[in-house]
Amino acid sequence: MTSAPHKDQFTLRRRPASDRLIDSGFRNLTIVLASFVAITLLAIFVTVFQGAREAMHEFGLSFLTTSSWNPVDNEYGAFTAIYGTLVSSIMALVIAVPLGVGTAIFITENLIPLRWREVIGVMVELLAAIPSVVLGLWAIFVMEPFVRPFLQFIYDTLGWLPIFNSPPQGPGMAPAIIILVVMILPIITSISRDALNQVPTELRQGAYGVGSTRWVAILNVILPAAVSSIMGGIMLALGRAMGETMAVTMIIGNSNNFSFSLLAPGNTIASMLANQFGEADGVQVSALLYAALILMVLTLTVNIIAQWIIKKLSLKY
């Protein structure tokens, strides 16, 4: 009974003016910083949109469905680059997700001694720190010659399929997909590892307590509890893959000739911007900014979908 007056006295006490001034200043500072981020993003979008207006007016939606890119005749179409951006990113994600999540499970579920788990975790983090230009050089001189016999075998065996109907001759879509897997794998692995480590110990013990095996507990209890954070990491990796420039530019072939084949040279929006923007002028600059605007819309769409998926999975689990 005596604690209530003391509680009321503590709650209703007047705070010093200095404390209120610090709180108010901190709140205003955070509002300014958050507004600065929003204003910067809006300014970038407006700048790109203004630069793309000429191409939008001249080419319209046909820019999205045609593959011709001829600066001499001022004929521009970004379908090949859009296709390459989406296919390379999605295919890289298809390969990297099971590898990344599987690696995260491997280093968090006591399958190997702690020392080895720490070594693997450090190696994954170091992989994320390698500059993309270094990975691009490694892809050109080491990875592509190494995987070319396997790609040739795929062509010889499954060449009747449209996605494998061109012989591998060096840089192409498939090597670009592999290098993207290498680049986004640390993102998926690190975020998945942190998400799995945050699963309450009570859930694990409860699953084992009712007689679940290790893999039943992982698949039916632990992964569902961490799925929202894992999905966030996957969508973050997708955005990273869609915007990757240097490594992909060095290994994809940079061809504007459209082909469904994953073994043929291709192009992405980011690679096209990196290759051509420095020497572009006139309508070509506007066309490149139009392509950049499309890339911004694609990445924004990915972020919106990611937020929606995370919200739905958070409510479910």
Side-chain angles (χ1 to χ4, degrees):
M1 296 298 292
T2 58
S3 61
H6 291 289
K7 181 178 179 180
D8 293 339
Q9 183 179 1
F10 178 78
T11 304
L12 298 177
R13 71 181 181 89
R14 291 182 58 83
R15 299 177 61 202
S18 58
D19 288 355
R20 296 198 301 271
L21 181 61
I22 292 174
D23 289 346
S24 177
F26 181 76
R27 181 174 62 253
N28 293 333
L29 178 62
T30 55
I31 293 174
V32 169
L33 294 176
S35 301
F36 180 76
V37 173
I39 292 172
T40 302
L41 180 60
L42 181 62
I44 294 173
F45 182 83
V46 170
T47 302
V48 174
F49 180 81
Q50 289 292 338
R53 288 182 62 184
E54 182 180 357
M56 294 172 65
H57 177 73
E58 183 168 348
F59 304 111
L61 294 179
S62 64
F63 186 80
L64 309 178
T65 58
T66 57
S67 300
S68 175
W69 194 273
N70 187 356
V72 176
D73 297 329
N74 282 333
E75 295 178 355
Y76 300 102
F79 180 75
T80 300
I82 296 172
Y83 174 82
T85 299
L86 294 176
V87 170
S88 61
S89 301
I90 293 173
M91 291 299 298
L93 206 67
V94 169
I95 300 173
V97 167
L99 289 176
V101 176
T103 303
I105 293 173
F106 186 70
I107 60 180
T108 57
E109 294 303 315
N110 297 323
L111 297 175
I112 55 176
L114 177 62
R115 179 182 302 176
W116 291 107
R117 297 203 305 268
E118 293 177 348
V119 170
I120 295 174
V122 171
M123 292 176 64
V124 169
E125 293 174 356
L126 288 177
L127 183 61
I130 300 177
S132 59
V133 65
V134 176
L135 288 175
L137 291 172
W138 172 79
I140 292 174
F141 294 110
V142 179
M143 184 201 72
E144 193 280 324
F146 177 78
V147 302
R148 191 183 301 176
F150 299 97
L151 299 180
Q152 184 66 43
F153 173 77
I154 293 174
Y155 170 72
D156 295 336
T157 306
L158 302 173
W160 52 275
L161 292 174
I163 60 174
F164 301 123
N165 65 358
S166 59
Q169 299 177 352
M173 185 72 73
I177 291 172
I178 297 174
I179 198 63
L180 282 177
V181 171
V182 174
M183 299 188 73
I184 67 176
L185 186 62
I187 299 175
I188 298 175
T189 302
S190 298
I191 295 179
S192 299
R193 179 190 61 187
D194 294 339
L196 292 172
N197 283 330
Q198 294 300 317
V199 175
T201 306
E202 291 79 5
L203 286 178
R204 304 171 187 267
Q205 294 175 347
Y208 295 138
V210 298
S212 298
T213 62
R214 180 192 296 270
W215 288 108
V216 170
I218 292 173
L219 296 176
N220 295 337
V221 178
I222 299 172
L223 279 179
V227 69
S228 61
S229 298
I230 293 175
M231 282 302 303
I234 292 173
M235 300 307 289
L236 179 64
L238 177 58
R240 174 75 170 85
M242 292 175 64
E244 173 53 37
T245 303
M246 187 54 65
V248 173
T249 302
M250 298 171 70
I251 197 63
I252 198 170
N254 302 300
S255 172
N256 287 314
N257 297 322
F258 177 75
S259 174
F260 281 110
S261 177
L262 298 179
L263 305 180
N267 210 349
T268 65
I269 297 177
S271 298
M272 186 170 63
L273 293 172
N275 280 323
Q276 301 187 22
F277 203 88
E279 301 177 354
D281 59 357
V283 179
Q284 186 179 3
V285 174
S286 183
L288 290 171
L289 289 174
Y290 193 1
L293 181 64
I294 295 170
L295 181 59
M296 289 185 65
V297 171
L298 289 175
T299 54
L300 178 62
T301 302
V302 167
N303 288 330
I304 293 174
I305 294 175
Q307 293 296 327
W308 180 80
I309 292 175
I310 293 172
K311 182 178 180 180
K312 291 294 183 181
L313 292 176
S314 298
L315 291 176
K316 184 176 180 180
Y317 297 106

